[in-house]
Amino acid sequence: NAGVTQTPKFRVLKTGQSMTLLCAQDMNHEYMYWYRQDPGMGLRLIHYSVGEGTTAKGEVPDGYNVSRLKKQNFLLGLESAAPSQTSVYFCASSYWLATGYEQYFGPGTRLTVT
Amino acid sequence: DAKTTQPNSMESNEEEPVHLPCNHSTISGTDYIHWYRQLPSQGPEYVIHGLTSNVNNRMASLAIAEDRKSSTLILHRATLRDAAVYYCILRDVVANAGKSTFGDGTTLTVKP
């Protein structure tokens, strides 16, 4: 199993450009998440999905959109990139268990907006 | 939301035990205590979780206070590979997945 994979690994954008980050998981997980991590800080939840065709806002959703057309994929879009969106983006997936949910994280995408 | 408080940083010597504390004084009855760690330049990885009783797995042990207002992650013999940021998180299984926040964690340095 590949687990959680993210594409691309690195990207540099100019202010105002758009891009889509792709997250894929092969564990048949219902739940998927997008986080951002700024230098020296913890992870903050951007958007999440509890199943195919569903999405919901997390802690810091402004400036981002997401889609979950297939169960195994979760896309994060930036319509008009801003320097404040320079960060490392992590995708995660999980089952929902009675004891909470063990999240599996991807390796991250390092995005720089100039 | 119930929050956790962790020291910013801790140091340990290689092959010695490490006790990483976490305070969660506003924990609710439906909150599980989860620990993740993040190695340099990697995504976080799950370590352990528990509700009321102490828990052990191949990576670590979790000791939970009787009043559940604090917990301690125990690495029995620290290795250089254990140098990472450790996050203590409360997961409410009644609330939805949007309550999925990581704090700033504890940066563990392991000295040879």
Side-chain angles (χ1 to χ4, degrees):
Chain A
N1 288 349
V4 179
T5 58
Q6 294 183 231
T7 309
K9 289 184 170 52
F10 304 92
R11 185 71 186 269
V12 178
L13 287 179
K14 295 186 187 302
T15 298
Q17 288 184 320
S18 63
M19 78 163 294
T20 299
L21 282 67
L22 171 63
C23 175
Q25 54 96 2
D26 60 2
M27 296 172 282
N28 202 34
H29 286 165
E30 289 293 334
Y31 294 79
M32 297 188 75
Y33 317 77
W34 275 107
Y35 292 86
R36 61 175 288 173
Q37 185 173 35
D38 298 331
M41 298 180 67
L43 282 75
R44 291 184 292 170
L45 183 64
I46 305 171
H47 286 280
Y48 64 99
S49 168
V50 300
E52 182 178 318
T54 72
T55 63
K57 294 179 180 180
E59 184 184 1
V60 289
D62 294 341
Y64 304 95
N65 57 75
V66 288
S67 64
R68 183 103 181 264
L69 299 179
K70 294 183 178 180
K71 185 177 184 178
Q72 63 268 34
N73 295 337
F74 196 28
L75 278 62
L76 178 71
L78 285 74
E79 290 186 349
S80 180
S84 60
Q85 294 178 304
T86 293
S87 190
V88 181
Y89 291 84
F90 290 101
C91 176
S93 69
S94 72
Y95 292 115
W96 185 265
L97 304 172
T99 61
Y101 42 98
E102 178 183 335
Q103 290 175 303
Y104 294 80
F105 283 82
T109 294
R110 187 174 297 275
L111 175 67
T112 302
V113 183
T114 60
Chain B
D1 297 337
K3 294 187 176 180
T4 64
T5 303
Q6 300 176 253
N8 289 334
S9 62
M10 292 185 65
E11 284 189 353
S12 172
N13 294 318
E14 195 176 11
E15 298 190 3
E16 290 186 355
V18 181
H19 291 234
L20 297 166
C22 181
N23 289 322
H24 28 78
S25 58
T26 59
I27 190 170
S28 74
T30 53
D31 282 330
Y32 277 78
I33 302 159
H34 285 241
W35 284 81
Y36 283 75
R37 72 179 186 180
Q38 186 174 21
L39 301 172
S41 300
Q42 294 187 27
E45 64 174 341
Y46 167 82
V47 177
I48 199 167
H49 76 277
L51 183 63
T52 57
S53 303
N54 294 345
V55 183
N56 301 296
N57 66 20
R58 63 175 180 81
M59 290 181 69
S61 296
L62 176 60
I64 301 173
E66 195 168 335
D67 63 4
R68 300 215 316 132
K69 293 185 177 182
S70 65
S71 61
T72 302
L73 179 70
I74 302 166
L75 306 178
H76 295 287
R77 288 183 69 212
T79 69
L80 298 178
R81 288 192 72 255
D82 290 322
V85 179
Y86 287 78
Y87 297 99
C88 170
I89 305 158
L90 301 183
R91 290 272 161 87
D92 183 347
V93 296
V94 175
N96 60 38
K99 308 282 188 185
S100 178
T101 303
F102 286 64
D104 292 337
T106 296
T107 299
L108 175 65
T109 301
V110 180
K111 296 184 288 185

